[in-house]
Amino acid sequence: MVDQSTPEARTPGSTPGETEAAPAREGISRRRMLGTAGATGLVLGTAGAAGGYAAAPSEAAAPLASLGTDRAMFHGKHQPGITDALQARGHVVAFDLTPGAGRKEAAALLRRWSETARRLMAGEPSGHDDTDVARDAGPSSLTITFGFGHSFFARTGLEKQRPASLDPLPEFSSDRLDKNRSNGDLWVQIGANDSLVAFHALRAIQKDTGSAARVRWQMNGFNRSPGATAHPMTARNLMGQIDGTRNPKPSDADFDQRIFVPEKPEQGEPAWMANGSYAVVRRIRMLLDDWEKLSGKAQEDVIGRRKSDGAALSGGTETTAMDLEKTDAKGNLVVPINAHARITRPDQNGGAAMLRRPFSFHDGIDTDGVPDAGLLFICWQADPLRGFVPVQRKLDRGDALSQYIRHESSGLFAVPGGAAEGEYVGQKLLEG
């Protein structure tokens, strides 16, 4: 769960886990122009205004901070939200088509969703009935990503276009899955560095469904905000561990091969999935009360890495290669045989690799007084049978971390390539 780092940001100067703010782009969206509070004419957030107080209308509005102006692009070879740096706030939501809705209704829905995503990611209001929740805010690194579940293809009469890689995941002995919070016909991932921007996008997407689909499940997550640490670093999870050190990076020579379906898909992969990817989504509950009873040393042995800086227990820094054979003075392996970081290494799993891009979650306290908290695990790969499945099978057989976590929901989604100008996501599938 923790031995792959956050992806490198696309923006200049960004780093895994947390990204430096990108320079402001030319052009000013409607939201960036608006500095007034409705008809009152009072300017909010202007120079000289003290925390939340309105300044005089004659004062010029201060420019947005770089966090607000950061923008991801909707159109492109791949969909957004895959290789972009982790955002501070996220929502993942699955929909089922309503009875009677088929291919035609699905195409109209994806067309609406794509236009809404394009507008919101540019920092513009949604096309109709905008709620003004994100009024005055910039794009804030908003990304909106769309995918199709296994059941979508039967409901739309497109079974022949369903990829073999979308076959249901195998059952794992440690799973405790809630079927009502698993899978779904359609899947949407939303991320932004501002909570209101992310919520605004969620509401717009939900409103766009109309009578074509209904929400099956929704989950909300968060990460550390960019700039919250003295220097950019890999994110931490709710166990306090640096979460992810060995993620594939876009700069790796074989990155595209591992993460994206080729432009000319291999046999068995439909043409509409060119430049797409597969997302595995798992709600992983962390049993924090049990975890926090362990000593710091015991926690490090479970993971196989130092809690302070993420370095392997065999020594060095976070990025130093783990020495799997190193022993202590008593002849014991320094990195325990069942340590999570040892088991998840690609070289221990036939080269299996996936791009992890998770969010933490905290949904309150259960009736028994324990926190309902953990990780919204989201990973990307060109083929889940060669990426997620072999690693999870090995974890299922003897991961020291398994007694402190519980997999409570699961989904697998085919995420097509990005939409070109004038197209909508999934158009090649729905109109091909």
Side-chain angles (χ1 to χ4, degrees):
M1 186 173 68
V2 300
D3 205 33
Q4 295 186 9
S5 68
T6 55
E8 291 179 343
R10 291 178 175 177
T11 51
S14 58
T15 58
E18 293 187 10
T19 175
E20 294 295 324
R25 296 178 180 270
E26 294 182 2
I28 302 177
S29 71
R30 189 194 75 152
R31 285 200 194 119
R32 293 166 62 185
M33 288 289 292
L34 290 174
T36 58
T40 65
L42 297 180
V43 180
L44 301 178
T46 56
Y53 286 92
S58 59
E59 295 183 26
L64 288 174
S66 56
L67 184 147
T69 59
D70 233 5
R71 176 183 173 187
M73 305 306 295
F74 174 73
H75 293 295
K77 183 177 181 180
H78 309 296
Q79 284 198 59
I82 302 176
T83 59
D84 301 270
L86 288 179
Q87 297 117 314
R89 187 65 177 173
H91 303 287
V92 287
V93 54
F95 296 85
D96 285 335
L97 294 174
T98 53
R103 180 174 177 178
K104 178 181 177 181
E105 290 76 15
L109 175 56
L110 267 296
R111 190 180 295 111
R112 292 195 299 273
W113 273 355
S114 295
E115 175 60 13
T116 293
R118 182 196 66 77
R119 294 177 65 94
L120 296 183
M121 285 176 56
E124 302 171 5
S126 59
H128 56 87
D129 296 330
D130 191 272
T131 62
D132 279 343
V133 171
R135 188 182 179 96
D136 309 312
S140 302
S141 299
L142 174 68
T143 61
I144 305 177
T145 317
F146 304 105
F148 303 107
H150 185 275
S151 56
F152 175 83
F153 297 85
R155 293 179 185 274
T156 54
L158 292 166
E159 292 98 326
K160 292 183 179 180
Q161 291 296 317
R162 184 168 57 211
S165 298
L166 199 57
D167 286 349
L169 296 172
E171 294 183 3
F172 302 103
S173 63
S174 59
D175 284 352
R176 301 292 183 271
L177 304 183
D178 179 353
K179 293 183 178 180
N180 292 325
R181 292 196 295 181
S182 298
N183 302 311
D185 295 343
L186 293 158
W187 175 71
V188 183
Q189 173 192 258
I190 296 168
N193 281 332
D194 178 78
S195 295
L196 287 183
V197 168
F199 178 81
H200 178 247
L202 175 65
R203 289 294 298 138
I205 290 297
Q206 290 174 336
K207 289 172 65 178
D208 274 348
T209 59
S211 60
R214 64 178 185 274
V215 173
R216 179 179 177 86
W217 54 259
Q218 179 194 319
M219 301 174 192
N220 311 308
F222 58 91
N223 286 302
R224 177 173 277 160
S225 298
T229 56
H231 56 84
M233 60 179 292
T234 309
R236 289 187 185 272
N237 62 31
L238 299 188
M239 288 179 161
Q241 298 288 152
I242 287 184
D243 193 337
T245 298
R246 295 182 56 85
N247 241 2
K249 296 178 175 60
S251 57
D252 295 342
D254 61 351
F255 179 83
D256 281 2
Q257 177 184 346
R258 291 183 171 200
I259 307 305
F260 294 111
V261 175
E263 286 194 32
K264 295 183 178 180
E266 300 172 358
Q267 185 176 3
E269 197 71 53
W272 65 267
M273 272 297 291
N275 298 315
S277 188
Y278 291 90
V280 174
V281 183
R282 310 273 282 186
R283 186 184 195 270
I284 303 176
R285 176 85 165 264
M286 292 178 173
L287 308 181
L288 294 178
D289 284 352
D290 294 336
W291 173 256
E292 291 164 3
K293 291 176 184 176
L294 298 178
S295 68
K297 175 62 167 61
Q299 290 179 354
E300 290 181 338
D301 285 343
V302 167
I303 302 300
R305 291 185 174 275
R306 292 199 300 253
K307 198 170 183 179
S308 60
D309 59 5
L313 296 183
S314 54
T317 67
E318 182 185 352
T319 57
T320 301
M322 183 178 291
D323 184 351
L324 299 180
E325 305 303 323
K326 187 174 181 178
T327 57
D328 60 19
K330 297 181 180 179
N332 298 316
L333 288 169
V334 174
V335 180
I337 196 68
N338 62 347
H340 183 78
R342 174 191 284 268
I343 294 175
T344 57
R345 285 170 56 99
D347 58 7
Q348 301 296 301
N349 295 281
M354 49 193 154
L355 178 65
R356 296 175 65 261
R357 199 173 181 279
F359 293 95
S360 293
F361 72 87
H362 179 221
D363 292 336
I365 306 297
D366 276 356
T367 55
D368 54 3
V370 300
D372 182 7
L375 196 71
L376 298 182
F377 175 91
I378 303 170
C379 72
W380 301 89
Q381 57 261 285
D383 181 354
L385 293 179
R386 291 184 292 176
F388 172 79
V389 171
V391 177
Q392 186 58 34
R393 276 180 171 156
K394 196 165 185 181
L395 290 171
D396 206 37
R397 291 195 295 266
D399 176 24
L401 185 61
S402 63
Q403 63 181 301
Y404 302 103
I405 61 174
R406 186 166 62 226
H407 290 242
E408 296 185 333
S409 68
S410 178
L412 172 62
F413 302 94
V415 177
E421 295 278 353
E423 294 182 350
Y424 64 87
V425 173
Q427 185 169 336
K428 292 182 176 64
L429 166 65
L430 292 163
E431 297 186 13

